[in-house]
Amino acid sequence: MTEQEARRMQQARFERLARVVVEPLHRYLLRRTSADMVDDVLSETMVVLWRRIDEVPGLGEGAEPDPGDVLPWCYGVARGCLANARRADGRRIRLVERLIRSHEQSPDRAADHGELHAALDALAAQDREVLQLWAWEGLAPRQIAEATGLTANAVSIRLHRAKKKIAAQLGRKDAEPTGHKRDEGRSSQ
């Protein structure tokens, strides 16, 4: 038997199994979880059944399988997939709660950097992205161009304009650059 024939036979077995188990598994999941989660869990269940098609008890090579033979094992797979989905949801919820708590505990954005974030928010989305890639990620205009799909020249122009807008928003257009002292690097004599 060639590999292609084996795949066709496996696909035919899976299709026979799916015709028998999809509706009962859908009903099973509807009774155990929210409607918005059912399709995802059913899809994951079908992926597991595809991967483990040779392990499904009662699934022969010929005619349609008997639901009484294959469904109990498939319910077990669906039960495991549902448990995995619930654990994943729990992790996501805990992560969101942790992020909310950490944001509430450290009001850095609001207190220390509120003006900066407001100035960034006032920029166009692409200008903000270019500026952030330059300032926060330390990318050169050539690298920013590669990341954004713009030309290096367009990036340089956007970067120059964005820096001017930020400086004007923060009222530092003619002010002394922060972090520098006039006599820095000079001797006192």
Side-chain angles (χ1 to χ4, degrees):
M1 179 182 325
T2 68
E3 187 178 323
Q4 193 174 23
E5 290 172 339
R7 282 188 186 159
R8 271 197 300 257
M9 287 179 59
Q10 182 182 18
Q11 184 174 351
R13 289 178 72 206
F14 179 75
E15 288 172 357
R16 286 193 308 273
L17 177 66
R19 281 192 294 271
V20 172
V21 301
V22 166
E23 287 303 316
L25 289 176
H26 190 264
R27 287 191 306 268
Y28 171 85
L29 293 168
L30 273 173
R31 288 189 288 268
R32 285 163 178 78
T33 190
S34 63
D36 59 334
M37 200 174 185
V38 168
D39 289 335
D40 291 338
V41 176
L42 181 59
S43 297
E44 183 61 30
T45 302
M46 297 310 290
V47 168
V48 172
L49 291 177
W50 169 258
R51 283 193 311 244
R52 298 178 64 189
I53 192 77
D54 293 331
E55 299 174 37
V56 180
L59 183 61
E61 297 293 331
E64 295 289 310
D66 180 17
D69 293 338
V70 295
L71 270 174
W73 193 83
C74 294
Y75 285 142
V77 171
R79 185 174 177 267
C81 290
L82 180 58
N84 289 342
R86 286 180 175 156
R87 281 191 297 273
D89 271 356
R91 285 190 300 269
R92 277 190 289 276
I93 289 169
R94 287 189 301 276
L95 175 62
V96 168
E97 289 170 350
R98 198 173 11 183
L99 289 172
I100 290 170
R101 279 193 309 270
S102 70
H103 184 66
E104 290 171 351
Q105 291 171 356
S106 61
D108 292 340
R109 180 180 168 117
D112 298 338
H113 306 292
E115 289 178 25
L116 173 61
H117 288 286
L120 283 171
D121 290 342
L123 293 175
Q126 198 155 31
D127 291 343
R128 181 174 47 250
E129 178 69 14
V130 165
L131 185 64
Q132 289 172 335
L133 286 169
W134 173 77
W136 294 347
E137 308 307 326
L139 297 182
R142 169 182 54 78
Q143 296 167 317
I144 296 170
E146 188 175 329
T148 60
L150 299 169
T151 65
N153 189 42
V155 167
S156 295
I157 292 168
R158 284 182 179 275
L159 185 58
H160 176 73
R161 290 178 182 164
K163 287 193 283 187
K164 282 180 69 174
K165 287 177 186 175
I166 289 286
Q169 283 271 329
L170 296 176
R172 295 184 178 150
K173 189 173 183 178
D174 297 322
E176 185 177 315
T178 51
H180 298 280
K181 298 178 185 170
R182 289 218 180 264
D183 62 348
E184 189 174 296
R186 298 183 186 152
S187 72
S188 58
Q189 297 174 340

